[in-house]
Amino acid sequence: MGTRLLSEQLVRKRFPHLRYIRIHTPEKHKATIYAWNGDLYLPEKDAQSLQHFASGYLYPYVNFQVKAYSAVQPDKVPQLQEIPTAIIQTAMRRNLNQYGILEAINRLFPYGRLTFNRYQAADSIIHFDFHAIRLLHDKEKKAMYDYLQELIPLGSYCEVTFY
């Protein structure tokens, strides 16, 4: 699965001179790669190489675009939140699938059970259900959603129904 963290690692490995890398899903089936070199600039040659790499070697179900890192704020890309090590390790697995996602979330939220409901391909939305054994606070629900966003593929969104 093409998670944000794994994709950013692959870009950093292929383009070690790019110092700032951020990948974000702005709409369904799309992802934007924001990058700058050490001089806080993205040369046109690097932008083209990055576009070619993303289109050819990252994930074929996602339409990638490349922008200078300075576009992060105008594009209203959310700031990165602190992510538990277990989520980072899971997101970096190349063989991650729905079962790995469910296992990681269920370990972090043991007061219920997350299950896969369905995938709406047209809207690129993955639907999950969380059957809780106690009432979840809004902060916990937001944390679960944030962690899921790190585990689902680029170009996708998720929704969780809490029971």
mmCIF file of all heavy atoms in Angstrom, residues 17 53 86 162:
data_model
loop_
_atom_site.group_PDB
_atom_site.id
_atom_site.type_symbol
_atom_site.label_atom_id
_atom_site.label_comp_id
_atom_site.label_asym_id
_atom_site.label_seq_id
_atom_site.Cartn_x
_atom_site.Cartn_y
_atom_site.Cartn_z
ATOM 1 N N HIS A 17 19.163 14.777 -2.149
ATOM 2 C CA HIS A 17 19.473 16.211 -2.086
ATOM 3 C C HIS A 17 18.242 17.068 -1.771
ATOM 4 O O HIS A 17 18.380 18.239 -1.425
ATOM 5 C CB HIS A 17 20.105 16.678 -3.403
ATOM 6 C CG HIS A 17 19.180 16.574 -4.571
ATOM 7 N ND1 HIS A 17 18.875 15.363 -5.171
ATOM 8 C CD2 HIS A 17 18.479 17.527 -5.229
ATOM 9 C CE1 HIS A 17 18.025 15.584 -6.167
ATOM 10 N NE2 HIS A 17 17.770 16.878 -6.224
ATOM 11 N N PHE A 53 9.490 10.122 -11.570
ATOM 12 C CA PHE A 53 9.658 9.056 -10.584
ATOM 13 C C PHE A 53 8.319 8.663 -9.965
ATOM 14 O O PHE A 53 7.982 7.480 -9.867
ATOM 15 C CB PHE A 53 10.630 9.512 -9.492
ATOM 16 C CG PHE A 53 10.752 8.548 -8.346
ATOM 17 C CD1 PHE A 53 11.489 7.382 -8.468
ATOM 18 C CD2 PHE A 53 10.128 8.805 -7.134
ATOM 19 C CE1 PHE A 53 11.598 6.484 -7.412
ATOM 20 C CE2 PHE A 53 10.233 7.922 -6.075
ATOM 21 C CZ PHE A 53 10.968 6.758 -6.213
ATOM 22 N N ALA A 86 4.151 2.689 16.701
ATOM 23 C CA ALA A 86 3.472 1.519 16.119
ATOM 24 C C ALA A 86 2.803 1.875 14.783
ATOM 25 O O ALA A 86 2.811 1.069 13.848
ATOM 26 C CB ALA A 86 2.442 0.966 17.093
ATOM 27 N N PHE A 162 -18.892 5.076 14.421
ATOM 28 C CA PHE A 162 -18.715 4.588 15.784
ATOM 29 C C PHE A 162 -20.038 4.047 16.319
ATOM 30 O O PHE A 162 -21.062 4.696 16.213
ATOM 31 C CB PHE A 162 -18.197 5.712 16.692
ATOM 32 C CG PHE A 162 -16.806 6.160 16.314
ATOM 33 C CD1 PHE A 162 -16.616 7.188 15.405
ATOM 34 C CD2 PHE A 162 -15.708 5.524 16.854
ATOM 35 C CE1 PHE A 162 -15.341 7.593 15.052
ATOM 36 C CE2 PHE A 162 -14.419 5.929 16.509
ATOM 37 C CZ PHE A 162 -14.239 6.958 15.595
#
